[in-house]
Short mmCIF file of all heavy atoms in Angstrom, two decimals:
data_model
loop_
_atom_site.label_atom_id
_atom_site.label_comp_id
_atom_site.label_asym_id
_atom_site.label_seq_id
_atom_site.Cartn_x
_atom_site.Cartn_y
_atom_site.Cartn_z
N MET R 15 51.87 27.70 -141.59
CA MET R 15 51.46 28.71 -142.54
C MET R 15 52.68 29.48 -143.02
O MET R 15 53.09 30.45 -142.39
CB MET R 15 50.46 29.65 -141.90
CG MET R 15 49.24 28.99 -141.35
SD MET R 15 47.86 30.07 -141.55
CE MET R 15 46.59 28.91 -141.79
N ALA R 16 53.21 29.04 -144.10
CA ALA R 16 54.43 29.64 -144.61
C ALA R 16 54.18 30.75 -145.63
O ALA R 16 55.10 31.47 -145.98
CB ALA R 16 55.31 28.56 -145.23
N ASP R 17 52.96 30.87 -146.10
CA ASP R 17 52.66 31.89 -147.10
C ASP R 17 52.78 33.29 -146.51
O ASP R 17 52.24 33.57 -145.44
CB ASP R 17 51.25 31.72 -147.67
CG ASP R 17 51.10 30.44 -148.46
OD1 ASP R 17 52.12 29.92 -148.94
OD2 ASP R 17 49.96 29.97 -148.60
N THR R 18 53.48 34.17 -147.22
CA THR R 18 53.55 35.56 -146.82
C THR R 18 52.40 36.30 -147.46
O THR R 18 52.32 36.44 -148.67
CB THR R 18 54.90 36.19 -147.27
OG1 THR R 18 55.95 35.46 -146.67
CG2 THR R 18 54.98 37.64 -146.86
N TRP R 19 51.46 36.74 -146.66
CA TRP R 19 50.29 37.43 -147.20
C TRP R 19 50.22 38.88 -146.72
O TRP R 19 49.53 39.69 -147.31
CB TRP R 19 49.00 36.70 -146.83
CG TRP R 19 48.79 36.60 -145.35
CD1 TRP R 19 49.24 35.61 -144.53
CD2 TRP R 19 48.13 37.54 -144.51
NE1 TRP R 19 48.89 35.87 -143.24
CE2 TRP R 19 48.20 37.07 -143.20
CE3 TRP R 19 47.48 38.74 -144.75
CZ2 TRP R 19 47.66 37.75 -142.13
CZ3 TRP R 19 46.93 39.42 -143.67
CH2 TRP R 19 47.02 38.92 -142.38
N LEU R 20 50.94 39.20 -145.66
CA LEU R 20 50.91 40.56 -145.13
C LEU R 20 52.25 41.22 -145.42
O LEU R 20 53.24 40.96 -144.75
CB LEU R 20 50.63 40.54 -143.62
CG LEU R 20 50.55 41.90 -142.94
CD1 LEU R 20 49.39 42.72 -143.51
CD2 LEU R 20 50.38 41.73 -141.44
N THR R 21 52.26 42.05 -146.43
CA THR R 21 53.50 42.70 -146.81
C THR R 21 53.59 44.14 -146.32
O THR R 21 54.67 44.72 -146.28
CB THR R 21 53.66 42.69 -148.35
OG1 THR R 21 52.53 43.34 -148.93
CG2 THR R 21 53.75 41.25 -148.86
N SER R 22 52.44 44.71 -145.92
CA SER R 22 52.43 46.09 -145.45
C SER R 22 51.12 46.39 -144.74
O SER R 22 50.10 45.79 -145.04
CB SER R 22 52.59 47.05 -146.63
OG SER R 22 52.50 48.39 -146.19
N LEU R 23 51.18 47.32 -143.80
CA LEU R 23 49.96 47.83 -143.18
C LEU R 23 49.47 49.08 -143.88
O LEU R 23 48.41 49.61 -143.55
CB LEU R 23 50.19 48.13 -141.69
CG LEU R 23 50.45 46.94 -140.79
CD1 LEU R 23 50.70 47.41 -139.36
CD2 LEU R 23 49.32 45.93 -140.84
N LYS R 24 50.22 49.56 -144.85
CA LYS R 24 49.84 50.77 -145.58
C LYS R 24 48.68 50.46 -146.51
O LYS R 24 48.69 49.47 -147.24
CB LYS R 24 51.01 51.30 -146.41
CG LYS R 24 52.22 51.68 -145.58
CD LYS R 24 51.96 52.93 -144.79
CE LYS R 24 53.24 53.33 -144.06
NZ LYS R 24 53.10 54.55 -143.33
N THR R 25 47.67 51.33 -146.48
CA THR R 25 46.52 51.19 -147.38
C THR R 25 46.20 52.56 -147.97
O THR R 25 46.56 53.59 -147.40
CB THR R 25 45.27 50.65 -146.65
OG1 THR R 25 44.89 51.56 -145.63
CG2 THR R 25 45.54 49.27 -146.05
N ALA R 26 45.51 52.55 -149.08
CA ALA R 26 45.19 53.80 -149.78
C ALA R 26 44.08 54.58 -149.11
O ALA R 26 44.08 55.81 -149.13
CB ALA R 26 44.82 53.50 -151.23
N THR R 27 43.13 53.88 -148.51
CA THR R 27 41.96 54.55 -147.95
C THR R 27 41.58 53.93 -146.60
O THR R 27 41.98 52.79 -146.30
CB THR R 27 40.73 54.41 -148.88
OG1 THR R 27 40.34 53.03 -148.91
CG2 THR R 27 41.03 54.92 -150.28
N PRO R 28 40.79 54.64 -145.81
CA PRO R 28 40.29 54.03 -144.57
C PRO R 28 39.47 52.76 -144.83
O PRO R 28 39.57 51.80 -144.05
CB PRO R 28 39.42 55.14 -143.97
CG PRO R 28 40.00 56.40 -144.49
CD PRO R 28 40.44 56.06 -145.89
N GLN R 29 38.69 52.73 -145.90
CA GLN R 29 37.92 51.52 -146.23
C GLN R 29 38.85 50.34 -146.46
O GLN R 29 38.62 49.24 -145.95
CB GLN R 29 37.06 51.76 -147.48
CG GLN R 29 36.25 50.54 -147.90
CD GLN R 29 35.11 50.21 -146.97
OE1 GLN R 29 34.47 51.09 -146.45
NE2 GLN R 29 34.85 48.94 -146.77
N ASP R 30 39.92 50.56 -147.23
CA ASP R 30 40.91 49.50 -147.44
C ASP R 30 41.53 49.08 -146.11
O ASP R 30 41.80 47.90 -145.88
CB ASP R 30 42.00 49.96 -148.40
CG ASP R 30 41.53 50.14 -149.82
OD1 ASP R 30 40.45 49.63 -150.18
OD2 ASP R 30 42.24 50.83 -150.58
N GLY R 31 41.77 50.05 -145.24
CA GLY R 31 42.33 49.75 -143.92
C GLY R 31 41.40 48.91 -143.08
O GLY R 31 41.82 47.98 -142.39
N PHE R 32 40.11 49.21 -143.13
CA PHE R 32 39.13 48.43 -142.37
C PHE R 32 39.06 47.01 -142.90
O PHE R 32 39.00 46.04 -142.13
CB PHE R 32 37.76 49.10 -142.41
CG PHE R 32 36.78 48.44 -141.49
CD1 PHE R 32 36.86 48.62 -140.12
CD2 PHE R 32 35.78 47.64 -141.99
CE1 PHE R 32 35.97 47.99 -139.26
CE2 PHE R 32 34.87 47.01 -141.15
CZ PHE R 32 34.97 47.19 -139.78
N GLU R 33 39.09 46.87 -144.22
CA GLU R 33 39.08 45.53 -144.81
C GLU R 33 40.33 44.74 -144.43
O GLU R 33 40.27 43.54 -144.17
CB GLU R 33 38.90 45.63 -146.32
CG GLU R 33 37.50 46.10 -146.67
CD GLU R 33 37.29 46.38 -148.15
OE1 GLU R 33 38.10 45.94 -148.97
OE2 GLU R 33 36.28 47.05 -148.46
N LEU R 34 41.47 45.42 -144.35
CA LEU R 34 42.69 44.76 -143.89
C LEU R 34 42.55 44.37 -142.42
O LEU R 34 43.01 43.29 -142.02
CB LEU R 34 43.91 45.66 -144.10
CG LEU R 34 45.24 45.09 -143.63
CD1 LEU R 34 45.55 43.74 -144.29
CD2 LEU R 34 46.36 46.10 -143.89
N ALA R 35 41.91 45.19 -141.61
CA ALA R 35 41.70 44.85 -140.20
C ALA R 35 40.88 43.58 -140.06
O ALA R 35 41.16 42.73 -139.21
CB ALA R 35 41.01 46.02 -139.48
N ILE R 36 39.87 43.43 -140.91
CA ILE R 36 39.06 42.22 -140.89
C ILE R 36 39.90 41.02 -141.30
O ILE R 36 39.85 39.96 -140.67
CB ILE R 36 37.81 42.38 -141.79
CG1 ILE R 36 36.87 43.41 -141.18
CG2 ILE R 36 37.11 41.03 -142.00
CD1 ILE R 36 35.74 43.84 -142.10
N LYS R 37 40.71 41.21 -142.34
CA LYS R 37 41.60 40.12 -142.80
C LYS R 37 42.57 39.71 -141.70
O LYS R 37 42.78 38.52 -141.45
CB LYS R 37 42.35 40.58 -144.06
CG LYS R 37 43.42 39.64 -144.54
CD LYS R 37 42.88 38.55 -145.41
CE LYS R 37 44.03 37.76 -146.02
NZ LYS R 37 43.56 36.67 -146.83
N LEU R 38 43.16 40.70 -141.01
CA LEU R 38 44.07 40.39 -139.91
C LEU R 38 43.35 39.58 -138.83
O LEU R 38 43.91 38.61 -138.29
CB LEU R 38 44.61 41.67 -139.29
CG LEU R 38 45.69 42.43 -140.05
CD1 LEU R 38 45.92 43.79 -139.39
CD2 LEU R 38 46.97 41.63 -140.09
N SER R 39 42.15 39.98 -138.51
CA SER R 39 41.38 39.29 -137.48
C SER R 39 41.08 37.85 -137.88
O SER R 39 41.23 36.92 -137.08
CB SER R 39 40.09 40.06 -137.21
OG SER R 39 40.38 41.38 -136.81
N ARG R 40 40.66 37.68 -139.12
CA ARG R 40 40.35 36.33 -139.60
C ARG R 40 41.60 35.45 -139.65
O ARG R 40 41.55 34.27 -139.31
CB ARG R 40 39.69 36.40 -140.97
CG ARG R 40 38.31 37.06 -140.90
CD ARG R 40 37.64 37.07 -142.22
NE ARG R 40 37.30 35.67 -142.52
CZ ARG R 40 36.40 35.31 -143.40
NH1 ARG R 40 35.75 36.22 -144.10
NH2 ARG R 40 36.14 34.05 -143.61
N MET R 41 42.71 36.04 -140.08
CA MET R 41 43.95 35.26 -140.14
C MET R 41 44.43 34.90 -138.74
O MET R 41 45.01 33.83 -138.53
CB MET R 41 45.02 36.03 -140.90
CG MET R 41 44.72 36.18 -142.39
SD MET R 41 44.54 34.60 -143.27
CE MET R 41 46.25 34.07 -143.34
N GLY R 42 44.18 35.78 -137.76
CA GLY R 42 44.53 35.46 -136.38
C GLY R 42 43.81 34.21 -135.90
O GLY R 42 44.40 33.34 -135.24
N VAL R 43 42.53 34.10 -136.24
CA VAL R 43 41.76 32.92 -135.88
C VAL R 43 42.31 31.70 -136.60
O VAL R 43 42.49 30.63 -136.01
CB VAL R 43 40.26 33.11 -136.19
CG1 VAL R 43 39.49 31.80 -136.06
CG2 VAL R 43 39.67 34.18 -135.30
N LYS R 44 42.63 31.87 -137.88
CA LYS R 44 43.15 30.75 -138.68
C LYS R 44 44.49 30.25 -138.15
O LYS R 44 44.74 29.05 -138.11
CB LYS R 44 43.28 31.19 -140.13
CG LYS R 44 43.59 30.09 -141.10
CD LYS R 44 43.56 30.60 -142.52
CE LYS R 44 43.89 29.52 -143.51
NZ LYS R 44 43.88 30.02 -144.89
N TYR R 45 45.35 31.17 -137.72
CA TYR R 45 46.64 30.76 -137.15
C TYR R 45 46.46 30.09 -135.79
O TYR R 45 47.16 29.16 -135.45
CB TYR R 45 47.56 31.97 -137.00
CG TYR R 45 48.36 32.31 -138.24
CD1 TYR R 45 47.76 32.86 -139.35
CD2 TYR R 45 49.73 32.09 -138.28
CE1 TYR R 45 48.48 33.18 -140.48
CE2 TYR R 45 50.47 32.40 -139.41
CZ TYR R 45 49.84 32.94 -140.51
OH TYR R 45 50.56 33.25 -141.62
N THR R 46 45.48 30.59 -135.01
CA THR R 46 45.24 30.04 -133.69
C THR R 46 44.61 28.65 -133.78
O THR R 46 44.95 27.75 -133.01
CB THR R 46 44.30 30.97 -132.89
OG1 THR R 46 44.92 32.26 -132.82
CG2 THR R 46 44.06 30.46 -131.49
N GLN R 47 43.67 28.49 -134.72
CA GLN R 47 43.01 27.19 -134.92
C GLN R 47 43.14 26.83 -136.40
O GLN R 47 42.30 27.18 -137.22
CB GLN R 47 41.54 27.26 -134.52
CG GLN R 47 40.75 25.98 -134.77
CD GLN R 47 41.45 24.73 -134.30
OE1 GLN R 47 42.16 24.08 -135.06
NE2 GLN R 47 41.27 24.37 -133.04
N PRO R 48 44.24 26.13 -136.76
CA PRO R 48 44.48 25.83 -138.17
C PRO R 48 43.50 24.82 -138.79
O PRO R 48 43.42 24.71 -140.00
CB PRO R 48 45.92 25.29 -138.19
CG PRO R 48 46.23 24.92 -136.79
CD PRO R 48 45.33 25.71 -135.90
N SER R 49 42.74 24.11 -137.97
CA SER R 49 41.81 23.11 -138.49
C SER R 49 40.53 23.79 -139.00
O SER R 49 39.74 24.32 -138.21
CB SER R 49 41.45 22.10 -137.40
OG SER R 49 40.36 21.31 -137.82
N ALA R 50 40.33 23.71 -140.31
CA ALA R 50 39.10 24.27 -140.90
C ALA R 50 37.87 23.53 -140.36
O ALA R 50 36.82 24.16 -140.13
CB ALA R 50 39.15 24.18 -142.42
N GLU R 51 37.99 22.23 -140.14
CA GLU R 51 36.86 21.47 -139.61
C GLU R 51 36.49 21.96 -138.22
O GLU R 51 35.30 22.12 -137.91
CB GLU R 51 37.19 19.97 -139.56
CG GLU R 51 37.26 19.32 -140.92
CD GLU R 51 38.70 19.22 -141.44
OE1 GLU R 51 39.65 19.40 -140.64
OE2 GLU R 51 38.86 18.97 -142.64
N ALA R 52 37.47 22.23 -137.37
CA ALA R 52 37.19 22.72 -136.02
C ALA R 52 36.54 24.10 -136.08
O ALA R 52 35.57 24.37 -135.37
CB ALA R 52 38.47 22.76 -135.19
N ARG R 53 37.05 24.98 -136.94
CA ARG R 53 36.46 26.32 -137.07
C ARG R 53 35.02 26.22 -137.55
O ARG R 53 34.13 26.90 -137.03
CB ARG R 53 37.29 27.19 -138.02
CG ARG R 53 38.64 27.57 -137.46
CD ARG R 53 39.33 28.65 -138.29
NE ARG R 53 39.36 28.40 -139.72
CZ ARG R 53 40.32 27.75 -140.36
NH1 ARG R 53 41.36 27.26 -139.70
NH2 ARG R 53 40.27 27.60 -141.68
N ASP R 54 34.78 25.36 -138.53
CA ASP R 54 33.42 25.19 -139.05
C ASP R 54 32.48 24.61 -137.99
O ASP R 54 31.31 25.00 -137.90
CB ASP R 54 33.41 24.28 -140.29
CG ASP R 54 34.05 24.93 -141.51
OD1 ASP R 54 34.20 26.18 -141.52
OD2 ASP R 54 34.40 24.19 -142.45
N ARG R 55 33.00 23.71 -137.18
CA ARG R 55 32.19 23.09 -136.13
C ARG R 55 31.83 24.11 -135.04
O ARG R 55 30.73 24.09 -134.49
CB ARG R 55 32.96 21.91 -135.53
CG ARG R 55 32.17 21.05 -134.61
CD ARG R 55 32.92 19.79 -134.15
NE ARG R 55 34.21 20.08 -133.54
CZ ARG R 55 35.41 19.83 -134.09
NH1 ARG R 55 35.48 19.30 -135.30
NH2 ARG R 55 36.52 20.11 -133.47
N LEU R 56 32.75 25.04 -134.75
CA LEU R 56 32.52 26.02 -133.69
C LEU R 56 31.68 27.22 -134.14
O LEU R 56 31.05 27.89 -133.32
CB LEU R 56 33.86 26.52 -133.15
CG LEU R 56 34.69 25.49 -132.40
CD1 LEU R 56 36.08 26.05 -132.12
CD2 LEU R 56 34.00 25.08 -131.12
N ARG R 57 31.69 27.50 -135.43
CA ARG R 57 31.02 28.71 -135.95
C ARG R 57 29.56 28.84 -135.51
O ARG R 57 29.16 29.93 -135.08
CB ARG R 57 31.15 28.77 -137.47
CG ARG R 57 30.62 30.07 -138.05
CD ARG R 57 30.98 30.24 -139.51
NE ARG R 57 32.41 30.44 -139.66
CZ ARG R 57 33.21 29.72 -140.43
NH1 ARG R 57 32.73 28.73 -141.14
NH2 ARG R 57 34.50 29.98 -140.50
N PRO R 58 28.74 27.79 -135.58
CA PRO R 58 27.33 27.97 -135.15
C PRO R 58 27.20 28.39 -133.69
O PRO R 58 26.27 29.11 -133.33
CB PRO R 58 26.71 26.59 -135.38
CG PRO R 58 27.58 25.94 -136.40
CD PRO R 58 28.97 26.46 -136.14
N GLN R 59 28.14 27.98 -132.84
CA GLN R 59 28.07 28.33 -131.42
C GLN R 59 28.28 29.82 -131.22
O GLN R 59 27.54 30.47 -130.48
CB GLN R 59 29.10 27.55 -130.62
CG GLN R 59 28.84 26.07 -130.59
CD GLN R 59 29.97 25.30 -129.95
OE1 GLN R 59 30.74 25.85 -129.18
NE2 GLN R 59 30.07 24.02 -130.27
N TYR R 60 29.29 30.40 -131.86
CA TYR R 60 29.55 31.82 -131.63
C TYR R 60 28.72 32.73 -132.53
O TYR R 60 28.54 33.90 -132.23
CB TYR R 60 31.04 32.16 -131.70
CG TYR R 60 31.71 32.02 -133.04
CD1 TYR R 60 31.54 32.97 -134.04
CD2 TYR R 60 32.55 30.95 -133.30
CE1 TYR R 60 32.17 32.86 -135.26
CE2 TYR R 60 33.20 30.83 -134.52
CZ TYR R 60 33.00 31.78 -135.50
OH TYR R 60 33.62 31.67 -136.70
N ALA R 61 28.14 32.19 -133.60
CA ALA R 61 27.32 33.00 -134.50
C ALA R 61 26.05 33.50 -133.81
O ALA R 61 25.50 34.53 -134.19
CB ALA R 61 26.96 32.20 -135.75
N GLU R 62 25.60 32.79 -132.80
CA GLU R 62 24.39 33.16 -132.06
C GLU R 62 24.70 33.73 -130.68
O GLU R 62 23.79 33.93 -129.89
CB GLU R 62 23.48 31.93 -131.93
CG GLU R 62 23.03 31.34 -133.24
CD GLU R 62 22.11 32.27 -134.02
OE1 GLU R 62 21.33 33.01 -133.38
OE2 GLU R 62 22.17 32.25 -135.26
N ASP R 63 25.96 33.99 -130.39
CA ASP R 63 26.38 34.47 -129.07
C ASP R 63 26.76 35.95 -129.16
O ASP R 63 27.79 36.30 -129.74
CB ASP R 63 27.57 33.63 -128.60
CG ASP R 63 28.08 34.00 -127.22
OD1 ASP R 63 27.80 35.11 -126.73
OD2 ASP R 63 28.78 33.16 -126.63
N ALA R 64 25.92 36.80 -128.60
CA ALA R 64 26.16 38.25 -128.68
C ALA R 64 27.52 38.63 -128.10
O ALA R 64 28.22 39.48 -128.66
CB ALA R 64 25.04 39.01 -127.97
N ASN R 65 27.91 38.02 -127.00
CA ASN R 65 29.21 38.35 -126.39
C ASN R 65 30.37 37.98 -127.31
O ASN R 65 31.35 38.71 -127.41
CB ASN R 65 29.35 37.69 -125.03
CG ASN R 65 28.43 38.30 -124.00
OD1 ASN R 65 28.19 39.51 -124.02
ND2 ASN R 65 27.92 37.48 -123.10
N ALA R 66 30.27 36.84 -127.97
CA ALA R 66 31.33 36.42 -128.90
C ALA R 66 31.40 37.38 -130.08
O ALA R 66 32.49 37.72 -130.55
CB ALA R 66 31.09 34.99 -129.37
N LEU R 67 30.25 37.82 -130.57
CA LEU R 67 30.24 38.74 -131.71
C LEU R 67 30.80 40.10 -131.30
O LEU R 67 31.54 40.72 -132.08
CB LEU R 67 28.82 38.87 -132.26
CG LEU R 67 28.26 37.58 -132.87
CD1 LEU R 67 26.79 37.75 -133.20
CD2 LEU R 67 29.06 37.16 -134.09
N ILE R 68 30.49 40.56 -130.10
CA ILE R 68 31.05 41.81 -129.61
C ILE R 68 32.56 41.68 -129.47
O ILE R 68 33.31 42.58 -129.86
CB ILE R 68 30.38 42.23 -128.29
CG1 ILE R 68 28.94 42.66 -128.55
CG2 ILE R 68 31.17 43.35 -127.61
CD1 ILE R 68 28.10 42.80 -127.30
N ALA R 69 33.02 40.56 -128.94
CA ALA R 69 34.47 40.34 -128.80
C ALA R 69 35.15 40.33 -130.16
O ALA R 69 36.24 40.90 -130.31
CB ALA R 69 34.73 39.02 -128.06
N SER R 70 34.52 39.73 -131.15
CA SER R 70 35.08 39.73 -132.51
C SER R 70 35.17 41.15 -133.05
O SER R 70 36.17 41.52 -133.67
CB SER R 70 34.21 38.89 -133.44
OG SER R 70 34.22 37.55 -133.04
N SER R 71 34.15 41.94 -132.80
CA SER R 71 34.16 43.34 -133.24
C SER R 71 35.28 44.12 -132.57
O SER R 71 35.90 44.99 -133.18
CB SER R 71 32.81 43.99 -132.95
OG SER R 71 31.81 43.40 -133.73
N GLN R 72 35.53 43.81 -131.31
CA GLN R 72 36.61 44.48 -130.58
C GLN R 72 37.97 44.15 -131.20
O GLN R 72 38.82 45.04 -131.32
CB GLN R 72 36.59 44.09 -129.11
CG GLN R 72 35.43 44.69 -128.35
CD GLN R 72 35.32 44.15 -126.94
OE1 GLN R 72 35.62 42.99 -126.68
NE2 GLN R 72 34.88 45.00 -126.03
N VAL R 73 38.17 42.92 -131.60
CA VAL R 73 39.43 42.52 -132.23
C VAL R 73 39.61 43.28 -133.54
O VAL R 73 40.69 43.81 -133.83
CB VAL R 73 39.49 41.00 -132.44
CG1 VAL R 73 40.69 40.60 -133.29
CG2 VAL R 73 39.51 40.28 -131.11
N VAL R 74 38.56 43.36 -134.34
CA VAL R 74 38.63 44.11 -135.60
C VAL R 74 38.96 45.58 -135.31
O VAL R 74 39.81 46.18 -135.98
CB VAL R 74 37.32 43.98 -136.41
CG1 VAL R 74 37.33 44.92 -137.62
CG2 VAL R 74 37.12 42.54 -136.86
N ALA R 75 38.31 46.16 -134.31
CA ALA R 75 38.55 47.57 -133.97
C ALA R 75 39.99 47.80 -133.54
O ALA R 75 40.61 48.80 -133.94
CB ALA R 75 37.59 48.01 -132.87
N ILE R 76 40.55 46.91 -132.76
CA ILE R 76 41.94 47.05 -132.33
C ILE R 76 42.87 46.96 -133.54
O ILE R 76 43.81 47.74 -133.67
CB ILE R 76 42.29 46.00 -131.26
CG1 ILE R 76 41.55 46.32 -129.96
CG2 ILE R 76 43.80 45.91 -131.04
CD1 ILE R 76 41.55 45.19 -128.95
N ASN R 77 42.60 46.01 -134.42
CA ASN R 77 43.43 45.90 -135.63
C ASN R 77 43.29 47.15 -136.50
O ASN R 77 44.27 47.62 -137.07
CB ASN R 77 43.06 44.64 -136.42
CG ASN R 77 43.59 43.39 -135.78
OD1 ASN R 77 44.61 43.41 -135.09
ND2 ASN R 77 42.91 42.28 -135.99
N PHE R 78 42.09 47.71 -136.58
CA PHE R 78 41.89 48.92 -137.37
C PHE R 78 42.65 50.10 -136.75
O PHE R 78 43.23 50.91 -137.48
CB PHE R 78 40.40 49.25 -137.50
CG PHE R 78 40.14 50.42 -138.40
CD1 PHE R 78 40.48 50.38 -139.74
CD2 PHE R 78 39.55 51.57 -137.91
CE1 PHE R 78 40.24 51.47 -140.58
CE2 PHE R 78 39.30 52.65 -138.73
CZ PHE R 78 39.65 52.60 -140.07
N GLN R 79 42.69 50.19 -135.43
CA GLN R 79 43.46 51.24 -134.77
C GLN R 79 44.93 51.14 -135.16
O GLN R 79 45.58 52.15 -135.44
CB GLN R 79 43.34 51.14 -133.25
CG GLN R 79 42.02 51.58 -132.71
CD GLN R 79 41.93 51.37 -131.21
OE1 GLN R 79 42.51 50.43 -130.66
NE2 GLN R 79 41.19 52.24 -130.55
N THR R 80 45.45 49.93 -135.18
CA THR R 80 46.85 49.71 -135.54
C THR R 80 47.11 50.14 -136.99
O THR R 80 48.10 50.83 -137.28
CB THR R 80 47.22 48.23 -135.36
OG1 THR R 80 47.00 47.87 -133.99
CG2 THR R 80 48.66 47.95 -135.75
N ILE R 81 46.23 49.75 -137.88
CA ILE R 81 46.39 50.10 -139.30
C ILE R 81 46.24 51.60 -139.50
O ILE R 81 47.01 52.21 -140.25
CB ILE R 81 45.38 49.30 -140.15
CG1 ILE R 81 45.75 47.81 -140.09
CG2 ILE R 81 45.35 49.81 -141.59
CD1 ILE R 81 44.65 46.89 -140.52
N ALA R 82 45.29 52.21 -138.82
CA ALA R 82 45.11 53.66 -138.94
C ALA R 82 46.36 54.40 -138.48
O ALA R 82 46.81 55.35 -139.13
CB ALA R 82 43.89 54.11 -138.13
N ALA R 83 46.94 53.96 -137.38
CA ALA R 83 48.17 54.59 -136.90
C ALA R 83 49.31 54.40 -137.91
O ALA R 83 50.08 55.33 -138.17
CB ALA R 83 48.56 54.02 -135.54
N ALA R 84 49.40 53.21 -138.50
CA ALA R 84 50.45 52.95 -139.49
C ALA R 84 50.29 53.82 -140.73
O ALA R 84 51.25 54.09 -141.44
CB ALA R 84 50.44 51.47 -139.89
N ASN R 85 49.08 54.28 -140.97
CA ASN R 85 48.80 55.12 -142.14
C ASN R 85 48.67 56.59 -141.76
O ASN R 85 48.12 57.38 -142.54
CB ASN R 85 47.51 54.63 -142.81
CG ASN R 85 47.75 53.37 -143.60
OD1 ASN R 85 48.24 53.43 -144.73
ND2 ASN R 85 47.45 52.22 -143.03
N ASN R 86 49.15 56.93 -140.57
CA ASN R 86 49.06 58.32 -140.09
C ASN R 86 47.64 58.85 -140.26
O ASN R 86 47.44 59.99 -140.68
CB ASN R 86 50.05 59.21 -140.82
CG ASN R 86 51.47 58.81 -140.56
OD1 ASN R 86 51.83 58.45 -139.44
ND2 ASN R 86 52.30 58.83 -141.59
N TYR R 87 46.66 57.99 -139.95
CA TYR R 87 45.25 58.33 -140.06
C TYR R 87 44.94 58.90 -141.45
O TYR R 87 44.22 59.84 -141.61
CB TYR R 87 44.82 59.26 -138.94
CG TYR R 87 45.06 58.67 -137.58
CD1 TYR R 87 46.19 59.01 -136.86
CD2 TYR R 87 44.17 57.73 -137.06
CE1 TYR R 87 46.43 58.42 -135.62
CE2 TYR R 87 44.41 57.16 -135.82
CZ TYR R 87 45.55 57.50 -135.12
OH TYR R 87 45.78 56.91 -133.89
N TRP R 88 45.53 58.28 -142.44
CA TRP R 88 45.35 58.63 -143.84
C TRP R 88 45.69 60.08 -144.10
O TRP R 88 45.05 60.80 -144.82
CB TRP R 88 43.98 58.21 -144.35
CG TRP R 88 43.95 56.72 -144.43
CD1 TRP R 88 44.36 55.99 -145.50
CD2 TRP R 88 43.59 55.79 -143.42
NE1 TRP R 88 44.28 54.64 -145.20
CE2 TRP R 88 43.81 54.50 -143.90
CE3 TRP R 88 43.12 55.92 -142.11
CZ2 TRP R 88 43.56 53.35 -143.18
CZ3 TRP R 88 42.88 54.77 -141.37
CH2 TRP R 88 43.10 53.49 -141.92
N ARG R 89 46.80 60.47 -143.47
CA ARG R 89 47.42 61.78 -143.67
C ARG R 89 46.42 62.92 -143.62
O ARG R 89 46.36 63.78 -144.49
CB ARG R 89 48.21 61.76 -144.98
CG ARG R 89 49.41 60.78 -144.82
CD ARG R 89 49.91 60.17 -146.06
NE ARG R 89 49.47 58.94 -146.65
CZ ARG R 89 49.18 57.77 -146.10
NH1 ARG R 89 49.17 57.61 -144.84
NH2 ARG R 89 48.89 56.73 -146.81
N GLY R 90 45.59 62.90 -142.59
CA GLY R 90 44.67 64.00 -142.35
C GLY R 90 43.39 63.95 -143.14
O GLY R 90 42.57 64.84 -143.05
N ALA R 91 43.18 62.89 -143.91
CA ALA R 91 41.96 62.79 -144.72
C ALA R 91 40.76 62.50 -143.88
O ALA R 91 40.80 61.98 -142.84
CB ALA R 91 42.14 61.71 -145.78
#
């Protein structure tokens, strides 16, 4: 994956920051498992697994914490 897609953690709003956190999480999965076929094959298994969905939410939350800190919590907003 040679494409540069992440140029900054700075975002204008918390909503933009949360969307970036989701993008970071999804890209982490894509980098870990580059095969789209494998990801598609596994998706039905974790889509019905509450523990897997909670774990995914935790990853997004951790990424959002990082982005929020990088944005100084949107400068007091």
